[in-house]
């Protein structure tokens, strides 16, 4: 039997982080997604131990200030893309208000650190979200395009194909065929 499971990556990450911090008897407060405040001072050995425990699942303690800001930008973009009402926000305004910096500054720092643009990262996240929504199979492509703030299904399809190499319709057919083959 095969099950298709819908999950929230933010919740999973938060729970995993909480579990590891509690196992190491580290008192902390969650400030936001990807940001915690350690209530006690950690010595170098305890910090290295924590980094080692978090690394296998892709968690990394970010220490450079520009890298911290880039991570906050990425987290905010992921939050925006996964919001059910993301249509109500323009990404540049959302990021500037959330991070208390001008969009121009955020864009420059992001490009300097990642060698890519905020716009490209947003597109990648939107396409990942579209793929998840297609796999869940609860929405039409028109509804997905609207949810992800695309001007049309054609616009979504163009970006989807440019990013993945196939159209959303072809992706849907592949998912449908896989499901049929598993029965």
């Amino acid at each position: 039997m095969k099950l298709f499971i819908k999950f929230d990556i933010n919740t999973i990450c938060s729970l995993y982080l909480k579990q590891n911090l509690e196992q190491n008897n580290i008192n902390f407060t969650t400030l936001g997604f990807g940001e915690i405040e350690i209530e006690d001072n950690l010595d170098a050995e305890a910090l290295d131990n924590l980094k080692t425990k978090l690394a296998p699942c892709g968690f990394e303690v970010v220490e450079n200030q520009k890298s911290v800001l880039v991570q906050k930008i990425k987290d905010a973009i992921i939050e925006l893309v996964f919001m059910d009402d993301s249509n109500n926000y323009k990404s540049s305004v959302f990021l500037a208000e959330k991070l208390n910096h001008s969009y121009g500054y955020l864009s420059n720092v992001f490009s300097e650190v990642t060698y890519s643009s905020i716009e490209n990262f947003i597109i990648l996240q939107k396409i990942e979200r579209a793929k998840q929504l297609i796999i869940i199979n609860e929405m039409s492509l028109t509804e997905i395009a609207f949810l992800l703030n695309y001007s049309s299904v054609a616009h979504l399809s163009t970006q989807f194909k440019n990013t993945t190499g196939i159209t959303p319709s072809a992706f849907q057919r592949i998912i449908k065929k896989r499901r049929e083959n598993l029965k």
Side-chain angles (χ1 to χ4, degrees):
M1 173 173 62
K2 184 164 187 154
L3 300 175
F4 294 94
I5 300 173
K6 181 179 178 181
F7 59 90
D8 177 12
I9 194 71
N10 294 341
T11 303
I12 293 168
C13 289
S14 296
L15 289 173
Y16 181 80
L17 187 59
K18 180 180 183 221
Q19 179 184 17
N20 273 279
L21 292 167
E22 287 175 351
Q23 283 176 352
N24 287 290
N25 297 316
I26 297 173
N27 296 318
F28 69 98
T29 303
T30 302
L31 302 174
F33 181 69
E35 185 175 5
I36 59 169
E37 182 173 348
I38 305 294
E39 295 171 5
D40 308 314
N41 287 330
L42 292 183
D43 59 27
E45 183 179 339
L47 184 58
D48 285 343
N49 183 35
L50 179 62
K51 288 177 184 178
T52 302
K53 291 201 182 250
L54 295 176
C57 286
F59 287 87
E60 179 183 340
V61 175
V62 181
E63 298 177 64
N64 170 299
Q65 286 301 69
K66 285 186 177 181
S67 295
V68 168
L69 182 56
V70 166
Q71 189 59 50
K72 286 181 180 182
I73 293 167
K74 288 180 176 181
D75 293 342
I77 290 168
I78 291 167
E79 177 185 334
L80 177 63
V81 169
F82 282 79
M83 287 168 57
D84 287 335
D85 64 343
S86 64
N87 265 344
N88 299 332
Y89 299 99
K90 186 171 181 188
S91 57
S92 58
V93 174
F94 178 81
L95 291 172
E97 288 178 358
K98 180 147 184 91
L99 300 172
N100 296 318
H101 290 288
S102 73
Y103 181 75
Y105 175 74
L106 295 173
S107 181
N108 287 337
V109 169
F110 192 91
S111 296
E112 178 184 324
V113 172
T114 66
Y115 304 107
S116 184
S117 69
I118 287 177
E119 291 77 16
N120 284 337
F121 188 77
I122 290 170
I123 291 168
L124 291 173
Q125 294 310 309
K126 287 170 103 174
I127 298 307
E128 284 305 311
R129 177 78 167 129
K131 289 189 322 192
Q132 287 180 351
L133 293 168
I134 290 168
I135 290 169
I136 293 168
N137 199 29
E138 293 176 355
M139 300 173 84
S140 68
L141 289 179
T142 303
E143 292 169 323
I144 292 170
F146 178 77
L147 178 70
L148 295 175
N149 206 18
Y150 281 100
S151 58
S152 65
V153 175
H155 186 205
L156 166 63
S157 294
T158 300
Q159 283 193 345
F160 195 100
K161 183 166 183 169
N162 289 342
T163 303
T164 65
I166 60 173
T167 64
S169 301
F171 185 75
Q172 278 180 319
R173 286 191 297 275
I174 291 168
I175 297 301
K176 184 179 178 186
K177 191 112 177 141
R178 283 185 184 167
R179 286 184 177 148
E180 289 171 359
N181 290 337
L182 293 173
K183 290 181 182 179

